[in-house]
Amino acid sequence: MDASQADVDRMRIALGFDRPVAIQYLEYIGNLMFFDLGRSYVQNIPVAELIWTRVPYTLMLAAGALVVAFGIGIPVGITLAIRRGRPI
């Protein structure tokens, strides 16, 4: 909010917003081929690094969800199969 127009212009150039959108998009697609996802605007570190640091937590969460789903789903399925045709 307190930035001068010169500061805004410098930031637009640094972020590449001064180029046409089509050029920005083609450059982004080209970088994706090399797994370059750019840099985080907030933390100023590579986005790929941010993603890889969170992968273990994502896998643990998914594994926990599978354990709960199987832990509930299999007993309920077996119970319903045994009681088939009878009211619950």
Side-chain angles (χ1 to χ4, degrees), residues 20 29-30 36 38 50 52 61 63 82:
I29 295 299
D36 180 6
L50 285 173
W52 284 111
L61 182 62
I82 291 171

Side-chain angles (χ1 to χ4, degrees), residues 68-80:
V68 169
F70 284 130
I72 293 172
I74 290 175
V76 168
I78 290 171
T79 303
L80 292 176

Side-chain angles (χ1 to χ4, degrees), residues 2-84:
D2 298 330
S4 68
Q5 187 60 41
D7 291 336
V8 172
D9 291 339
R10 261 195 306 277
M11 186 61 73
R12 286 178 49 83
I13 291 170
L15 295 174
F17 295 150
D18 59 328
R19 294 174 301 196
V21 174
I23 299 298
Q24 292 178 45
Y25 179 71
L26 290 174
E27 188 175 287
Y28 174 73
I29 295 299
N31 288 340
L32 279 181
M33 291 176 19
F34 300 103
F35 302 105
D36 180 6
L37 301 174
R39 295 186 73 77
S40 167
Y41 295 130
V42 175
Q43 297 177 357
N44 197 29
I45 59 175
V47 172
E49 184 178 320
L50 285 173
I51 292 171
W52 284 111
T53 59
R54 286 159 174 84
V55 166
Y57 303 108
T58 303
L59 294 176
M60 285 190 291
L61 182 62
L66 281 173
V67 167
V68 169
F70 284 130
I72 293 172
I74 290 175
V76 168
I78 290 171
T79 303
L80 292 176
I82 291 171
R83 298 180 48 91
R84 188 172 74 185

